[in-house]
Amino acid sequence: MTVIRDTIDRLLSRINAIGLDGEGWTRPSYSELESAAHDVVADEARALGLAVHRDAAGNLFARLPGRDRSAPAIHVGSHLDTVAQGGAYDGQAGVAGGLALIAALLAEGRVPPVDIVLTVTRAEESVWFPASYLGSRAALGRWSRADLQVRRSDTGRTLADHMRDLGLDPEAALQMPPPAPARFVEIHIEQGPVLHDAQESHAIVTGVRGGLRHRSARIHGVWAHSGGAPREGRADAVFALADLIHAMDADWAQMLAAGQDLAVTFGIVDAASPRHAMAKVPGEAGFCVDLRSDRTEALEAAHARLLHHVARIEAARPGIRFDLGAESRSTPVALSPVWQDALSRAAGGTLRAMPSGGGHDAAAFAAAGWDATMIFVRNWNGSHCPEEGMDPADLALAVGTLKRAVLAEDA
Amino acid sequence: MTVIRDTIDRLLSRINAIGLDGEGWTRPSYSELESAAHDVVADEARALGLAVHRDAAGNLFARLPGRDRSAPAIHVGSHLDTVAQGGAYDGQAGVAGGLALIAALLAEGRVPPVDIVLTVTRAEESVWFPASYLGSRAALGRWSRADLQVRRSDTGRTLADHMRDLGLDPEAALQMPPPAPARFVEIHIEQGPVLHDAQESHAIVTGVRGGLRHRSARIHGVWAHSGGAPREGRADAVFALADLIHAMDADWAQMLAAGQDLAVTFGIVDAASPRHAMAKVPGEAGFCVDLRSDRTEALEAAHARLLHHVARIEAARPGIRFDLGAESRSTPVALSPVWQDALSRAAGGTLRAMPSGGGHDAAAFAAAGWDATMIFVRNWNGSHCPEEGMDPADLALAVGTLKRAVLAEDA
């Protein structure tokens, strides 16, 4: 199907020509650059003869009519914003894949059983506005007034301000009613090494892991002279933190061995302020911890162990006090078993089914009652970085699987 | 002895009136401020009728003649530079105590058995010029040409340049011959909580701990997505570092239990660069480690354990690689058992004998073959900080002990 591959290559190339200067690709949420990337998709969709619609929040929809216009449509898409110095595929691949599906159906003269709606969301990367799935939630009629007041991390200005800059109407977006639940498919790079290591081109996603996070935890101890302070009497914040991390590492292995899904990451550890020095017992340390699982019970169990260790360490090390700060939670979301069956059949039963560690728009749609699924495409060199790698041929195979699943609904 | 207490109070007050604006006391090494503090001591010494001499490196000597002018003199003193935003006693206490000893002998009309030389060194705080005991080593004829080229951390200019600013002759300082070994006594705050906790005013120091340090070690791992990367396959630099710190904490307890003297401090831990993030498996971490002991064998044993753990962790965690960087060592120095006996007798056998964790000028004199000792004075609120606390009455008791020991030599 050269039309699938051609569409993918052309769209990725046109979208990735847009971004800030510097390493990798940078298109902030609700920026002119994100809008320009949406314009490329609108242009391509109109060239295929599709009707293009934008909602008040700036999400884009391009509709290919199906045979049954009254049945729930199949939305296919992803987002076009990126993290700072991100990669060429996170988000882009799903949009290119959605358009390629429609282009292939048109090229073959196949009318799909229901409407296919290419869906391009806004503001999926929460590094800019620290709130999850902003664009999707707007489209789903799920914004609260507080969402409009979230400030972009680089500019310090509110979401409402940035929307107005782009000619969007924040109040109108806030008033959008929830649409009737339909169907949603997001193709996305895996952002992990599983498919690459297994030499598999794509896979079905069973659910999106939830998270439980302390983003700005601190340990308070007592500053002292590294030569003068005896071991007894020290309240060393770094030793206390190492104790916690080491214990959570062991507990994580134990929970995995017991068959629970879990990931534990201490992404930032900071005992490197101007006050820290080689010859000082550290009296302070900062850290963040990110727990992820496909089951809320496992998140709570891991969190209980974290709290247990904090209490144990405070008791064992007089002078040490943890301040875990605010915790934020996102609920694990199960994706559609109906879609899973359909995609599996379309691929001849050969597709791996796996959870998604990262959060995705599909989770917002699933949480709103949509019949939602994801297809992961093999990638390498990590994600959210300029080195992020993907073979467009793998994406084309994923589109092929989706196309067969959609057309099989006619049978 | 009100003359002891009066001298202490007046000298501390006059010296501590000199310093940079801002929190605490700041008198950089080889600065006009350090020179001004020396001038106060010269003024006070001349007021007592002492002959004042400065060597080419700017160290100050004020001599009270003793009965036996040919016997090795007893040098008593410390330094007057401070760390940035340091305290009111680290260094100052020893100089004030030395002058108070001489003032008391004069007030009582006692001629000491040998010459007493108040000795005020330069550049003891190596945060300015990163080289140990610069002033003392100059006085001991132990400078190398490389010492003159050491650059001050704040100005970036060489020691030679800063000396010339103060009217000193670096070449002449470099040429000073080693003097015949004599005797050296340094009174200094403890910089630790031992005496404060034990409610003891002062103690005899048995030796100055040596150190073995890695000042800029790094761990290299693999960056990954915290949700997408499975546990197997991760190379998490923070988990690896926590493993090392936790293991060294346990080994430290074990070595102490086996009767070895040791302190283990990871004063800086840095996994907080712009690239680190809550949702990323950390691919890099920096740290420093400071091992201290009164025995070289214990330092080497602790270092061997560190290297053992590094190798173990690298083997257990594929993708993790430690780069410990340069190591710097200072040799533990034993202080005089003869002085220890004399001071102990002078105090009626009640004084604690303890090692010094921090480095001090006395170590340089001992290393040059001098009969050197230290007296620790109780302090609190740590050291090298504005809160550094000391009771001048404790310092007066220490001077009293020293005076009795000196006069007992007549017997």
Side-chain angles (χ1 to χ4, degrees):
Chain A
M1 281 303 301
T2 86
V3 66
I4 291 180
R5 180 62 192 269
D6 289 351
T7 305
I8 288 170
D9 289 350
R10 193 177 62 253
L11 204 56
L12 287 177
S13 157
R14 288 190 67 186
I15 292 170
N16 286 326
I18 299 165
L20 286 179
D21 287 344
E23 264 199 286
W25 288 267
T26 305
R27 287 187 297 272
S29 306
Y30 283 106
S31 67
E32 298 278 1
L33 295 165
E34 188 192 38
S35 291
H38 278 232
D39 290 345
V40 164
V41 178
D43 179 60
E44 292 272 344
R46 288 197 189 98
L48 290 177
L50 306 183
V52 171
H53 165 69
R54 287 182 168 96
D55 70 16
N59 297 300
L60 182 149
F61 307 91
R63 185 174 292 259
L64 173 68
R67 194 152 23 250
D68 183 351
R69 300 297 313 269
S70 63
I74 297 173
H75 290 244
V76 185
S78 192
H79 61 96
L80 294 178
D81 59 331
T82 69
V83 300
Q85 303 192 353
Y89 306 105
D90 180 350
Q92 298 96 303
V95 175
L99 190 77
L101 169 68
I102 291 172
L105 292 171
L106 286 169
E108 294 176 40
R110 302 291 295 261
V111 177
V114 299
D115 288 5
I116 307 287
V117 184
L118 176 65
T119 298
V120 189
T121 63
R122 290 273 185 172
E124 195 272 343
E125 298 290 1
S126 63
V127 289
W128 304 105
F129 295 99
S132 53
Y133 315 132
L134 272 172
S136 300
R137 287 196 294 105
L140 291 161
R142 293 186 152 214
W143 267 5
S144 68
R145 190 161 293 280
D147 287 314
L148 292 183
Q149 297 310 312
V150 174
R151 288 174 190 275
R152 212 169 86 176
S153 55
D154 56 339
T155 66
R157 296 171 64 234
T158 64
L159 173 58
D161 287 340
H162 278 279
M163 289 180 71
R164 278 187 286 265
D165 287 352
L166 301 179
L168 298 168
D169 179 351
E171 283 298 323
L174 184 60
Q175 304 306 332
M176 292 198 295
R183 305 166 70 191
F184 186 83
V185 185
E186 183 171 11
I187 303 174
H188 201 284
I189 58 168
E190 179 202 332
Q191 301 184 288
V194 174
L195 295 177
H196 185 247
D197 289 350
Q199 302 188 298
E200 296 168 14
S201 63
H202 60 300
I204 310 169
V205 181
T206 54
V208 177
R209 279 174 163 171
L212 201 163
R213 286 146 196 166
H214 292 280
R215 289 172 190 262
S216 54
R218 293 201 67 74
I219 303 181
H220 304 285
V222 178
W223 297 98
H225 190 289
S226 70
R231 179 180 170 90
E232 63 277 14
R234 282 197 189 199
D236 182 321
V238 161
F239 274 135
L241 180 54
D243 197 341
L244 178 67
I245 296 173
H246 185 261
M248 288 304 294
D249 189 19
D251 284 359
W252 177 21
Q254 218 173 66
M255 287 182 67
L256 285 183
Q260 307 210 53
D261 176 66
L262 185 66
V264 178
T265 309
F266 291 80
I268 300 177
V269 164
D270 188 356
S273 75
R275 193 160 180 193
H276 288 86
M278 203 265 304
K280 274 190 192 168
V281 178
E284 291 281 337
F287 67 99
C288 65
V289 56
D290 178 21
L291 308 173
R292 303 209 186 196
S293 176
D294 61 14
R295 289 173 54 86
T296 300
E297 296 71 24
L299 288 176
E300 296 300 338
H303 194 235
R305 292 193 181 210
L306 183 82
L307 298 180
H308 162 77
H309 289 304
V310 163
R312 172 181 64 74
I313 293 166
E314 285 182 341
R317 299 176 181 267
I320 287 292
R321 188 171 59 76
F322 282 77
D323 174 6
L324 292 176
E327 62 196 56
S328 60
R329 289 159 194 253
S330 64
T331 308
V333 172
L335 295 176
S336 165
V338 177
W339 267 118
Q340 189 177 329
D341 283 352
L343 291 167
S344 183
R345 271 197 308 276
T350 58
L351 288 190
R352 174 191 299 262
M354 63 185 292
S356 167
H360 297 289
D361 285 313
F365 285 90
W370 288 43
D371 190 44
T373 193
M374 292 187 73
I375 303 174
F376 266 172
V377 175
R378 159 168 57 186
N379 84 295
W380 54 89
N381 289 346
S383 176
H384 284 186
C385 58
E387 300 79 18
E388 187 179 272
M390 183 202 76
D391 185 344
D394 289 339
L395 176 54
L397 290 173
V399 173
T401 295
L402 176 58
K403 183 163 73 82
R404 282 190 300 278
V406 168
L407 293 178
E409 296 187 6
D410 269 336
Chain B
M1 280 302 300
T2 87
V3 66
I4 290 180
R5 179 62 191 268
D6 290 350
T7 305
I8 287 170
D9 289 351
R10 193 177 64 254
L11 204 56
L12 288 178
S13 158
R14 289 189 67 187
I15 291 170
N16 285 327
I18 299 165
L20 287 179
D21 287 343
E23 265 199 285
W25 288 267
T26 305
R27 288 188 295 273
S29 305
Y30 283 105
S31 67
E32 299 278 1
L33 295 164
E34 187 191 38
S35 291
H38 278 232
D39 289 346
V40 165
V41 178
D43 179 60
E44 291 273 344
R46 288 198 188 96
L48 291 176
L50 305 184
V52 171
H53 164 71
R54 286 182 169 97
D55 69 16
N59 298 298
L60 182 149
F61 307 90
R63 183 175 295 258
L64 173 68
R67 195 151 23 253
D68 183 352
R69 302 296 315 270
S70 63
I74 297 173
H75 290 245
V76 185
S78 192
H79 61 97
L80 294 177
D81 58 333
T82 69
V83 300
Q85 304 193 352
Y89 305 106
D90 179 352
Q92 297 96 303
V95 175
L99 191 77
L101 169 69
I102 291 171
L105 291 171
L106 287 168
E108 295 175 39
R110 302 289 297 261
V111 176
V114 301
D115 289 5
I116 308 286
V117 184
L118 175 64
T119 300
V120 190
T121 63
R122 291 274 187 170
E124 195 271 345
E125 299 291 1
S126 61
V127 289
W128 303 105
F129 295 99
S132 53
Y133 315 132
L134 272 173
S136 299
R137 287 196 293 105
L140 291 161
R142 291 186 156 215
W143 267 6
S144 68
R145 190 161 291 280
D147 287 313
L148 291 184
Q149 297 309 313
V150 174
R151 289 172 190 276
R152 212 169 86 175
S153 55
D154 56 339
T155 65
R157 297 171 62 235
T158 64
L159 173 58
D161 287 339
H162 279 278
M163 290 180 70
R164 277 187 286 261
D165 287 351
L166 302 178
L168 297 169
D169 179 351
E171 283 298 322
L174 184 61
Q175 305 306 331
M176 292 197 296
R183 305 165 70 189
F184 186 82
V185 185
E186 182 170 13
I187 303 176
H188 201 283
I189 58 169
E190 180 202 331
Q191 301 183 288
V194 173
L195 296 177
H196 185 248
D197 289 349
Q199 303 188 294
E200 295 168 15
S201 62
H202 60 297
I204 311 168
V205 181
T206 54
V208 177
R209 279 174 165 171
L212 199 164
R213 286 146 195 166
H214 292 279
R215 289 171 190 262
S216 53
R218 293 201 68 73
I219 303 181
H220 305 285
V222 179
W223 297 97
H225 190 289
S226 70
R231 180 180 170 89
E232 64 278 12
R234 282 196 190 199
D236 182 321
V238 162
F239 274 136
L241 181 53
D243 196 341
L244 177 67
I245 296 173
H246 185 262
M248 288 305 295
D249 189 18
D251 283 359
W252 178 20
Q254 216 174 70
M255 286 181 67
L256 285 184
Q260 306 211 53
D261 176 65
L262 185 66
V264 178
T265 309
F266 290 80
I268 299 176
V269 165
D270 189 354
S273 75
R275 192 161 180 191
H276 289 85
M278 203 266 303
K280 273 189 195 169
V281 177
E284 291 281 335
F287 66 100
C288 65
V289 56
D290 178 21
L291 308 173
R292 303 210 188 197
S293 176
D294 61 13
R295 288 172 53 86
T296 301
E297 296 70 22
L299 289 176
E300 296 299 337
H303 193 236
R305 292 195 182 207
L306 183 82
L307 298 180
H308 163 76
H309 290 303
V310 163
R312 173 182 63 74
I313 293 166
E314 285 183 342
R317 299 177 181 266
I320 288 291
R321 188 171 59 77
F322 284 76
D323 174 6
L324 292 175
E327 62 196 57
S328 60
R329 290 159 193 252
S330 64
T331 306
V333 171
L335 294 176
S336 164
V338 176
W339 267 117
Q340 188 177 329
D341 282 353
L343 291 166
S344 182
R345 270 196 309 275
T350 58
L351 288 191
R352 175 191 298 263
M354 63 186 293
S356 167
H360 296 289
D361 285 314
F365 285 91
W370 287 45
D371 190 43
T373 192
M374 291 188 74
I375 302 175
F376 266 171
V377 175
R378 159 168 58 185
N379 83 297
W380 54 88
N381 289 345
S383 176
H384 284 186
C385 57
E387 300 79 19
E388 186 179 275
M390 182 201 78
D391 185 346
D394 288 339
L395 175 55
L397 290 173
V399 173
T401 295
L402 176 58
K403 183 163 74 82
R404 283 191 299 281
V406 167
L407 293 176
E409 295 186 6
D410 269 337

